[in-house]
Amino acid sequence: QKVGFWFISALWGILTSLPHALGTTSSSPGNPLFTIIGTALFLTGFAMETTADYQKTIFKQSNPTGFCNVGLWSTSQHPNFFGNFLLWVGIFILNAPSLVVFPTEGHQSVVEIMKANWRLPVAFLSPLFLWTLFSSQVNGGLTNAVELAKSKYGNDPRYVEYLEKVPKLVPNLLLLWKKD
């Protein structure tokens, strides 16, 4: 299991860094609209991930045996994962224009254009990997965290209701205004 952990960690580091690592190899100045959108997604994801982690830390200090269902945790069972995903999608979008090579002269074949633009689909492996990783994790396909949580909180009717009503990954922000 330790080898699997280190393999996933190494894969995570390599794949998530692809958009930025490949983007820095370009002489393209980028695109202001993509810069704004990418930066906004990055900052939103960063704020969501750190806020979720902070909220859970504070919650666990006063409720060490309870499951966290306050703040962002009331909108998603894993808002920290979604924040991390959003952060890296922002980095991908920020770098996307510099990963595309536009034909400069004459007619180029589709094959030549695809060969010149290999960096964009390779960089897309970053958000694809993260979505697959987080989806697997929240559904219990990668770790036994789901089983552990159910064994710890499964007898609590509030937890059962939480599992039924709160999305696993993508937050439902309307739940913030839900009346009990």
Side-chain angles (χ1 to χ4, degrees), residues 28-80:
S28 170
N31 178 297
L33 180 61
F34 280 70
T35 300
I36 291 167
I37 293 169
T39 302
L41 285 172
F42 171 85
L43 291 173
T44 301
F46 182 79
M48 181 177 280
E49 182 178 8
T50 55
T51 300
D53 289 344
Y54 177 76
Q55 288 173 338
K56 189 168 189 174
T57 299
I58 297 301
F59 179 86
K60 284 297 189 178
Q61 287 175 352
S62 58
N63 302 288
T65 59
F67 70 95
C68 186
N69 62 348
V70 298
L72 291 173
W73 296 89
S74 68
T75 68
S76 168
Q77 294 176 33
H78 300 279
N80 53 342

Coordinates of all heavy atoms in Angstrom, one line a residue, residues 28-80:
S28 N 4.6 32.3 -26.4 CA 3.3 33.0 -26.5 C 3.0 33.9 -25.3 O 3.2 33.5 -24.2 CB 2.2 32.0 -26.7 OG 0.9 32.7 -26.6
P29 N 2.5 35.1 -25.5 CA 2.2 36.0 -24.4 C 0.9 35.6 -23.6 O 0.6 36.1 -22.6 CB 2.1 37.4 -25.0 CG 1.6 37.1 -26.4 CD 2.3 35.8 -26.8
G30 N 0.2 34.6 -24.2 CA -1.0 34.2 -23.5 C -2.2 35.1 -24.1 O -2.1 35.7 -25.1
N31 N -3.3 35.0 -23.3 CA -4.5 35.7 -23.7 C -5.1 36.4 -22.5 O -5.3 35.7 -21.5 CB -5.5 34.7 -24.3 CG -6.8 35.3 -24.7 OD1 -7.5 35.8 -23.9 ND2 -7.1 35.3 -26.0
P32 N -5.4 37.7 -22.5 CA -5.9 38.4 -21.3 C -7.2 37.8 -20.7 O -7.3 37.7 -19.5 CB -6.1 39.8 -21.8 CG -5.2 40.0 -23.0 CD -5.1 38.6 -23.6
L33 N -8.1 37.4 -21.6 CA -9.3 36.8 -21.1 C -9.1 35.5 -20.4 O -9.6 35.2 -19.3 CB -10.3 36.6 -22.3 CG -11.7 36.0 -21.9 CD1 -12.4 36.9 -20.9 CD2 -12.5 35.7 -23.2
F34 N -8.2 34.6 -21.0 CA -7.9 33.3 -20.3 C -7.1 33.6 -19.0 O -7.3 32.8 -18.0 CB -7.1 32.5 -21.3 CG -7.9 31.7 -22.3 CD1 -8.5 32.4 -23.3 CD2 -8.0 30.4 -22.2 CE1 -9.2 31.8 -24.3 CE2 -8.8 29.7 -23.2 CZ -9.4 30.4 -24.2
T35 N -6.3 34.6 -19.0 CA -5.6 35.0 -17.8 C -6.6 35.4 -16.7 O -6.5 34.9 -15.5 CB -4.6 36.1 -18.0 OG1 -3.7 35.7 -19.0 CG2 -3.9 36.5 -16.8
I36 N -7.6 36.1 -17.0 CA -8.6 36.6 -16.0 C -9.4 35.4 -15.5 O -9.6 35.2 -14.3 CB -9.5 37.7 -16.6 CG1 -8.7 39.0 -16.8 CG2 -10.7 37.9 -15.7 CD1 -9.4 40.0 -17.6
I37 N -9.9 34.6 -16.5 CA -10.7 33.4 -16.1 C -9.9 32.4 -15.3 O -10.4 31.9 -14.3 CB -11.4 32.8 -17.4 CG1 -12.4 33.7 -18.0 CG2 -12.0 31.4 -17.0 CD1 -12.9 33.3 -19.4
G38 N -8.7 32.1 -15.8 CA -7.9 31.1 -15.1 C -7.5 31.6 -13.7 O -7.5 30.8 -12.8
T39 N -7.1 32.8 -13.6 CA -6.8 33.4 -12.3 C -8.0 33.4 -11.3 O -7.8 33.0 -10.1 CB -6.2 34.8 -12.4 OG1 -5.1 34.8 -13.3 CG2 -5.8 35.4 -11.1
A40 N -9.1 33.7 -11.8 CA -10.4 33.7 -11.0 C -10.7 32.3 -10.5 O -11.0 32.1 -9.3 CB -11.5 34.3 -11.8
L41 N -10.6 31.3 -11.4 CA -10.8 29.9 -11.0 C -9.8 29.5 -10.0 O -10.1 28.8 -9.0 CB -10.8 29.0 -12.2 CG -12.1 29.1 -13.0 CD1 -11.9 28.3 -14.3 CD2 -13.3 28.6 -12.3
F42 N -8.5 29.8 -10.2 CA -7.4 29.4 -9.3 C -7.7 30.0 -7.9 O -7.6 29.3 -6.9 CB -6.1 29.9 -9.8 CG -5.0 29.8 -8.8 CD1 -4.3 28.6 -8.7 CD2 -4.6 30.8 -8.0 CE1 -3.3 28.4 -7.7 CE2 -3.6 30.7 -7.0 CZ -3.0 29.5 -6.9
L43 N -8.0 31.3 -7.9 CA -8.2 32.0 -6.6 C -9.5 31.4 -5.9 O -9.5 31.2 -4.7 CB -8.3 33.5 -6.7 CG -7.0 34.2 -7.1 CD1 -7.3 35.6 -7.5 CD2 -6.0 34.0 -6.1
T44 N -10.5 31.1 -6.7 CA -11.8 30.5 -6.1 C -11.4 29.2 -5.5 O -11.9 28.8 -4.4 CB -12.9 30.5 -7.1 OG1 -13.1 31.8 -7.6 CG2 -14.1 29.8 -6.6
G45 N -10.7 28.4 -6.3 CA -10.4 27.0 -5.8 C -9.5 27.0 -4.6 O -9.7 26.3 -3.6
F46 N -8.5 27.9 -4.6 CA -7.6 28.1 -3.5 C -8.4 28.5 -2.2 O -8.2 27.9 -1.1 CB -6.5 29.1 -3.8 CG -5.5 29.3 -2.7 CD1 -4.5 28.3 -2.5 CD2 -5.6 30.4 -1.8 CE1 -3.6 28.5 -1.5 CE2 -4.6 30.5 -0.8 CZ -3.6 29.6 -0.7
A47 N -9.3 29.5 -2.4 CA -10.1 30.0 -1.2 C -11.0 28.8 -0.7 O -11.2 28.7 0.5 CB -10.9 31.2 -1.7
M48 N -11.6 28.1 -1.7 CA -12.5 27.0 -1.3 C -11.8 25.9 -0.5 O -12.2 25.4 0.5 CB -13.2 26.4 -2.5 CG -14.2 25.3 -2.2 SD -15.1 24.7 -3.6 CE -16.3 26.0 -3.8
E49 N -10.6 25.5 -1.1 CA -9.9 24.4 -0.4 C -9.4 24.8 1.0 O -9.5 24.1 1.9 CB -8.7 24.0 -1.3 CG -7.9 22.9 -0.7 CD -6.7 22.4 -1.5 OE1 -6.4 23.1 -2.6 OE2 -6.1 21.4 -1.2
T50 N -8.8 26.0 1.1 CA -8.3 26.4 2.4 C -9.4 26.7 3.4 O -9.3 26.4 4.6 CB -7.3 27.7 2.2 OG1 -8.0 28.7 1.6 CG2 -6.1 27.3 1.5
T51 N -10.5 27.3 2.9 CA -11.6 27.6 3.8 C -12.2 26.3 4.3 O -12.5 26.1 5.5 CB -12.7 28.4 3.1 OG1 -12.1 29.6 2.7 CG2 -13.9 28.6 4.0
A52 N -12.4 25.3 3.4 CA -12.9 24.0 3.8 C -12.0 23.3 4.8 O -12.5 22.8 5.8 CB -13.1 23.1 2.6
D53 N -10.7 23.3 4.6 CA -9.8 22.7 5.5 C -9.8 23.5 6.9 O -9.8 22.8 7.9 CB -8.3 22.8 5.0 CG -8.1 21.8 3.8 OD1 -9.0 20.9 3.7 OD2 -7.1 21.9 3.1
Y54 N -9.9 24.8 6.8 CA -10.0 25.6 8.1 C -11.3 25.3 8.8 O -11.3 25.0 10.1 CB -9.9 27.1 7.8 CG -10.0 27.9 9.0 CD1 -9.0 28.1 9.9 CD2 -11.2 28.6 9.2 CE1 -9.1 28.9 11.0 CE2 -11.3 29.4 10.3 CZ -10.3 29.6 11.2 OH -10.4 30.3 12.3
Q55 N -12.4 25.2 8.1 CA -13.7 25.0 8.7 C -13.7 23.6 9.4 O -14.2 23.4 10.5 CB -14.8 25.0 7.7 CG -15.1 26.4 7.3 CD -16.1 26.5 6.2 OE1 -16.3 25.6 5.4 NE2 -16.8 27.7 6.0
K56 N -13.1 22.6 8.7 CA -13.1 21.2 9.3 C -12.2 21.2 10.5 O -12.5 20.6 11.5 CB -12.6 20.2 8.3 CG -12.8 18.8 8.8 CD -12.6 17.8 7.7 CE -13.0 16.4 8.1 NZ -13.0 15.5 7.0
T57 N -11.0 21.9 10.5 CA -10.1 21.9 11.6 C -10.8 22.6 12.8 O -10.8 22.0 13.9 CB -8.9 22.7 11.3 OG1 -8.2 22.1 10.2 CG2 -7.9 22.8 12.5
I58 N -11.5 23.7 12.6 CA -12.2 24.4 13.7 C -13.3 23.5 14.3 O -13.5 23.3 15.5 CB -12.7 25.7 13.3 CG1 -11.6 26.7 12.9 CG2 -13.6 26.4 14.3 CD1 -10.6 27.0 14.0
F59 N -14.1 22.9 13.3 CA -15.2 22.0 13.7 C -14.7 20.8 14.6 O -15.2 20.5 15.6 CB -15.9 21.4 12.5 CG -17.0 20.5 12.8 CD1 -18.3 21.0 13.1 CD2 -16.9 19.2 12.9 CE1 -19.4 20.2 13.4 CE2 -17.9 18.3 13.2 CZ -19.2 18.8 13.5
K60 N -13.6 20.2 14.1 CA -13.1 19.0 14.8 C -12.5 19.3 16.2 O -12.5 18.5 17.1 CB -12.0 18.3 14.0 CG -12.6 17.5 12.9 CD -13.5 16.4 13.4 CE -13.9 15.4 12.3 NZ -14.7 14.3 12.9
Q61 N -12.1 20.6 16.4 CA -11.6 21.0 17.7 C -12.7 21.0 18.8 O -12.4 20.6 19.9 CB -10.9 22.4 17.7 CG -9.6 22.4 17.0 CD -9.0 23.7 16.8 OE1 -9.6 24.8 17.0 NE2 -7.8 23.8 16.3
S62 N -13.9 21.4 18.4 CA -15.0 21.4 19.3 C -15.9 20.2 19.2 O -16.7 19.9 20.1 CB -15.8 22.7 19.2 OG -16.3 22.8 17.9
N63 N -15.8 19.4 18.1 CA -16.6 18.2 17.9 C -15.7 17.0 17.4 O -15.8 16.6 16.3 CB -17.6 18.4 16.9 CG -18.6 19.6 17.2 OD1 -19.4 19.4 18.1 ND2 -18.4 20.7 16.6
P64 N -14.8 16.6 18.3 CA -13.8 15.6 17.8 C -14.4 14.3 17.3 O -13.7 13.6 16.4 CB -12.9 15.3 19.0 CG -13.6 15.9 20.2 CD -14.6 16.9 19.7
T65 N -15.6 13.9 17.7 CA -16.1 12.7 17.3 C -17.3 12.8 16.2 O -17.9 11.9 15.8 CB -16.7 11.8 18.5 OG1 -17.7 12.6 19.1 CG2 -15.6 11.5 19.4
G66 N -17.6 14.1 15.9 CA -18.7 14.4 15.0 C -18.2 14.5 13.5 O -17.0 14.7 13.3
F67 N -19.1 14.3 12.6 CA -18.8 14.5 11.2 C -19.0 16.0 10.9 O -20.0 16.6 11.4 CB -19.6 13.6 10.3 CG -21.0 13.9 10.2 CD1 -21.5 14.7 9.1 CD2 -21.9 13.4 11.1 CE1 -22.9 15.0 9.0 CE2 -23.3 13.7 11.0 CZ -23.7 14.5 10.0
C68 N -18.2 16.6 10.0 CA -18.3 18.0 9.7 C -19.3 18.2 8.6 O -19.2 17.7 7.5 CB -16.9 18.5 9.2 SG -16.9 20.3 9.0
N69 N -20.3 19.0 9.0 CA -21.4 19.4 8.0 C -21.8 20.8 8.1 O -22.9 21.2 7.9 CB -22.6 18.5 8.3 CG -23.2 18.7 9.7 OD1 -22.6 19.4 10.5 ND2 -24.4 18.2 9.9
V70 N -20.8 21.7 8.4 CA -21.0 23.1 8.5 C -20.2 23.8 7.4 O -19.3 23.3 6.8 CB -20.5 23.6 9.9 CG1 -21.3 23.0 11.0 CG2 -19.1 23.4 10.1
G71 N -20.7 25.1 7.1 CA -20.0 25.9 6.1 C -20.0 25.2 4.8 O -21.0 24.7 4.3
L72 N -18.8 25.2 4.1 CA -18.7 24.5 2.8 C -19.1 23.0 2.8 O -19.5 22.5 1.9 CB -17.4 24.8 2.2 CG -17.0 26.2 1.8 CD1 -15.6 26.3 1.4 CD2 -17.9 26.6 0.7
W73 N -18.8 22.4 4.0 CA -19.1 21.0 4.2 C -20.6 20.7 4.2 O -21.0 19.6 4.1 CB -18.5 20.5 5.5 CG -17.0 20.6 5.4 CD1 -16.2 21.7 5.8 CD2 -16.1 19.7 4.9 NE1 -14.9 21.4 5.5 CE2 -14.8 20.2 4.9 CE3 -16.2 18.4 4.3 CZ2 -13.6 19.5 4.5 CZ3 -15.1 17.7 3.9 CH2 -13.8 18.3 4.0
S74 N -21.4 21.7 4.3 CA -22.9 21.6 4.1 C -23.3 21.6 2.7 O -24.4 21.2 2.4 CB -23.6 22.6 4.9 OG -23.5 23.9 4.3
T75 N -22.4 21.9 1.8 CA -22.7 22.0 0.3 C -22.1 20.9 -0.5 O -22.5 20.6 -1.6 CB -22.2 23.3 -0.3 OG1 -20.8 23.4 -0.3 CG2 -22.8 24.5 0.5
S76 N -21.1 20.2 0.1 CA -20.4 19.1 -0.6 C -19.7 18.3 0.5 O -19.3 18.8 1.5 CB -19.3 19.7 -1.5 OG -18.4 18.7 -1.9
Q77 N -19.7 17.0 0.2 CA -19.1 16.1 1.2 C -17.5 16.2 1.1 O -16.8 15.8 2.1 CB -19.5 14.6 0.9 CG -20.9 14.3 1.2 CD -21.3 12.9 0.8 OE1 -20.5 12.0 0.9 NE2 -22.6 12.8 0.3
H78 N -17.0 16.8 0.1 CA -15.6 17.0 -0.1 C -15.3 18.3 -0.8 O -14.7 18.4 -1.9 CB -15.0 15.8 -0.9 CG -15.2 14.5 -0.3 ND1 -14.4 14.0 0.7 CD2 -16.2 13.6 -0.5 CE1 -14.8 12.8 1.1 NE2 -15.9 12.5 0.4
P79 N -15.6 19.5 -0.1 CA -15.4 20.7 -0.8 C -13.9 21.0 -1.0 O -13.5 21.8 -1.9 CB -16.1 21.8 0.1 CG -16.0 21.1 1.5 CD -16.2 19.6 1.2
N80 N -13.1 20.5 -0.1 CA -11.6 20.7 -0.3 C -11.1 20.0 -1.5 O -10.3 20.6 -2.2 CB -10.9 20.2 1.0 CG -11.2 18.7 1.3 OD1 -12.2 18.2 0.9 ND2 -10.3 18.1 2.1

